[in-house]
Every structure is written in C-alpha cells, then in structure tokens.
Amino acid sequence: KELVFSGVQPTGNLHLGNYLGAIKRFVAMQENYDCIYCVVDMHAITVPQNPADLTRQIREVTAAFLAAGIDPKRHIVFNQSQVPQHAELAWVFNCVARLGWLNRMTQFKDKAGKDRENASVGLYAYPSLMAADILVYRATHVPVGEDQKQHLELTRDIAQKFNNDWAESIAAHGFGEAFFPLTEPMIQGPATRVMSLRDGSKKMSKSDPSDYSRINLTDDADTIAQKVRKAKTDPEPLPSEVEGLKTRPEAENLVAIYAALMDTTPEEVLRQHGGAQFSGFKASLVDVAVTKLSPVADEMRRLMGDPGHIDAVLADGSARARALASVTMDAVKDIVGFVRAR
Ligand code: AQP
C-alpha cells in the first residue's frame, strides 16, 4: 500500500519555499495516496525555541496545512510530540545509523556553523528522528524540497541496514525479507528549491535575517508587491528559452515561482513572457502571487482565531497516528528482541 508522509517544522516565518516545495504538493497528493502530514515540533527544539512562540507556530503550521486545502478527516494531520513512537523508533535508529553517515550531513554543518561543539546532540541526530517519522508509518513516498534529499537518502540507508542486521528475526516474525520499505523521495516540479529574493545563490529560508529575502505565507498584498518589486534581478529582459536562464539565477527563480504558482512549466511562462522587461514581469508575478496566496493567508488568519479547533484537529490526528505507529513499534520491539506486555 502506498503511503505519503511529510513534515514541516514550526520554526516561524512559513514562506513561499515551504508552500511551493512542500505544502502545495501535499495538497495535490491527497487524491492518489493515503497521506500523513506532521508538524514536527520535536525537530524544532533541536535549536532554542521560546515556548509561547513554539505553541503559536505549531498552530500556525497546522492552520497553513488546513488553509492550503489538506483534509484532516480523510488524511492525518498531527504534531509529532503527541505520538511518542517517533522518539522510540528514533532511539533504535540512533543505534542503526553510523557516526560516519551523520558526519556527512550538510544541514548539520550549515546549522551548527563554526561553533560545532555547542550544537545540540538533537541537531546532530535530527536525520535519525526524521527517518523514524517516515518509517514508523512505513511510508513509501515523501514529498519534500531539494534541501531534504540527503536526509531521505539516509532514511533509505537506515531502513536497509535495519532490514539487513535483523534479517533473520524479521523473517522469523513473519515479515518476509524486508520490514521497512526503501522510501522514495518525491522532489518534483519547478519550485523544489525556491531561492532568496535577495540572493539567487541562497535558498529562501525561515531563518534569513532579511524579511525581504522571502515571501511569508501571512504577508498582505502590499508587502508581497514591495518584496517582489525589490527582488534582485539583472538588467536583461527575460529570455524566450529556458536555456537562457542557466546563468541568471535570480531570473530563473522568479520564472520558477511564477510557473509553480500557476501550475505550469518555466517553458510555458517564457512562451508568454519571453522578451519582457522585469518591471512588467514582476507586476504579473505580484498579481499571480497575491491571487494565489491571499485566500490561504485569509483562511490561516480565520483559523488562528480559534486555537481550540486547531488543537482538536491535532488531537484527533495524533490519536489516529498513534494507532498506526504503535503497530510498527510493537513489531520493531519483537524483531529487536525486547520483552513487552501483550
Ligand atoms: N527554499 C525552499 N524551496 C523549496 N522547498 C523548501 N523547503 C524549505 N525551504 C524550501 C521545504 O519545506 C519543507 C519544510 O521545511 P522545514 O520547515 O522542515 O525545514 P527547513 O528546510 O529547515 O526550512 P527553512 O525554511 O529552510 O528553515 P531554516 O531557515 O531553519 O533552514 C521541506 O520539505 C523543505 O524541503
């Protein structure tokens, strides 16, 4: 059975990259897959978080999921900390993953920066918890942005090593040749890596100190217009072929954003706008961005007015997630050889 899992961290400033690279695609998966979408609050505390802000941001990511069109009745929407099996399986995976594997993770290197001795152990073990998030549901597909590719490869390595190390026990317990699936990353579409509006070589990110580097999901129409107008570009008009974007990262980024918002391809955008000056193209981009994002922002604001409703959605999703996760975790305990009450 094909099952989609993905998550978003409640670390504030949910932006257009999170929307186009992840949330908008989560919505599209609902037709053809059973989907589990998680607000990964335990990942968020791998770096310091103010408790009151964290609580609000967990509700805000949930509101973004619902406002974008995820149906929490047909699928599962919940926050990670309400399902203890994620942490339980992560511990087993900490004992499967090798130090050498984690040492290669570029996200840890980026986030820990120069002061690595002071980074949390949680930040280092982040990929192992992420593997547990996915595999505790034995999910087969994970829609993510390009930046998560390396973590998804590690998830497959962990699954494979678990399957190999306990192969005999897996077979003895009637699970056949492999217990965990080798999950497929789904990194697709024109906006798998949305770049900063100020610097075409950096990804759009929640933690960029410049608010002008990103379009936040909660920005109003005037703010979106101002940010797009100020976005860095070059002096040339838009090319008419995508090849002409190769050496022009800022232009390439704006065309990709336009294409993703319109559910079309960069080729098609250039068929319509090739030869245009940026002033004109940016005006069209503002129109499209405001038209597509305003309804989501309005609905997020409405939902945030009723935190009790959001918490109830998360409680319901968590109960359903726990029921699924506990089946996997019981099996893992049997495979590993732990004693448990039956
Ligand atoms: N710029 C991006 N373009 C496309 N997809 C992106 N994603 C993040 N940035 C971009 C995707 O959004 C999902 C949720 O991301 P996350 O919140 O779990 O973590 P993140 O990648 O750490 O997000 P940020 O915004 O980049 O935060 P900071 O500044 O803390 O590093 C993921 O599927 C991710 O791929």
Side-chain angles (χ1 to χ4, degrees):
K1 181 105 204 261
E2 299 201 314
L3 182 77
V4 162
F5 176 92
S6 198
V8 174
Q9 293 190 76
T11 39
N13 295 328
L14 218 47
H15 55 72
L16 190 62
N18 300 132
Y19 180 67
L20 296 177
I23 300 172
K24 185 172 188 284
R25 293 175 47 230
F26 297 175
V27 178
M29 315 256 77
Q30 296 184 104
E31 283 312 309
N32 298 320
Y33 296 89
D34 287 334
C35 304
I36 303 180
Y37 295 128
C38 184
V39 184
V40 287
D41 47 11
M42 295 200 301
H43 281 286
I45 64 161
T46 56
V47 296
Q49 301 293 338
N50 169 289
D53 291 346
L54 181 62
T55 304
R56 185 178 43 75
Q57 287 158 7
I58 292 167
R59 293 184 180 131
E60 196 169 87
V61 174
T62 312
F65 284 174
L66 303 182
I70 293 169
D71 179 348
K73 294 211 165 68
R74 279 174 54 214
H75 301 278
I76 294 181
V77 172
F78 75 106
N79 59 315
Q80 188 185 26
S81 60
Q82 296 206 65
V83 181
Q85 288 82 3
H86 289 242
E88 273 187 276
L89 186 57
W91 180 257
V92 177
F93 287 172
N94 280 340
C95 303
V96 173
R98 306 288 92 183
L99 281 179
W101 299 0
L102 291 176
N103 285 340
R104 284 196 286 277
M105 295 295 113
T106 57
Q107 181 175 294
F108 174 74
K109 289 180 196 164
D110 293 346
K111 294 209 171 174
K114 289 205 173 66
D115 194 12
R116 204 177 288 187
E117 292 289 304
N118 253 326
S120 71
V121 174
L123 188 66
Y124 186 74
Y126 184 116
S128 179
L129 177 58
M130 180 165 158
D133 297 338
I134 296 164
L135 294 174
V136 84
Y137 304 101
R138 297 205 264 172
T140 54
H141 293 79
V142 181
V144 278
E146 171 77 32
D147 58 324
Q148 293 301 320
K149 189 165 181 245
Q150 196 184 33
H151 288 165
L152 262 301
E153 281 161 7
L154 189 89
T155 299
R156 291 165 67 95
D157 290 342
I158 289 176
Q160 193 145 38
K161 184 161 164 56
F162 182 96
N163 290 341
N164 286 341
D165 288 356
W166 281 283
E168 261 177 47
S169 184
I170 288 169
H173 283 90
F175 295 112
E177 298 220 328
F179 181 70
F180 287 119
L182 301 185
T183 306
E184 291 288 335
M186 301 174 101
I187 303 171
Q188 288 154 2
T192 54
R193 190 172 175 81
V194 176
M195 307 309 279
S196 157
L197 298 181
R198 309 298 295 160
D199 177 351
S201 68
K202 281 199 327 207
K203 80 165 186 139
M204 187 177 283
S205 150
K206 294 177 190 137
S207 56
D208 194 313
S210 165
D211 202 49
Y212 275 89
S213 69
R214 64 181 161 261
I215 293 175
N216 298 311
L217 274 190
T218 47
D219 283 345
D220 61 24
D222 285 347
T223 311
I224 293 177
Q226 231 175 17
K227 288 178 174 177
V228 172
R229 234 177 281 127
K230 286 201 177 197
K232 188 177 166 200
T233 45
D234 56 47
E236 302 298 318
L238 280 178
S240 37
E241 306 282 340
V242 283
E243 285 69 38
L245 292 172
K246 287 233 166 75
T247 53
R248 299 172 65 188
E250 285 85 12
E252 185 176 36
N253 189 37
L254 295 185
V255 168
I257 290 173
Y258 192 105
L261 284 168
M262 291 292 283
D263 292 309
T264 178
T265 58
E267 285 81 1
E268 184 54 37
V269 174
L270 290 182
R271 217 167 289 145
Q272 283 179 21
H273 295 273
Q277 298 294 333
F278 273 105
S279 51
F281 180 66
K282 281 180 168 179
S284 309
L285 179 57
V286 169
D287 282 347
V288 171
V290 170
T291 309
K292 300 284 180 179
L293 298 180
S294 299
V296 179
D298 291 346
E299 181 62 3
M300 276 176 75
R301 261 187 291 277
R302 192 188 71 76
L303 289 162
M304 286 300 281
D306 186 358
H309 170 70
I310 294 180
D311 294 2
V313 167
L314 291 173
D316 173 66
S318 299
R320 286 153 59 212
R322 272 196 302 273
L324 298 174
S326 65
V327 174
T328 305
M329 204 54 226
D330 284 351
V332 167
K333 287 177 179 171
D334 292 345
I335 290 166
V336 170
F338 291 160
V339 172
R340 65 180 177 92
R342 282 163 199 276

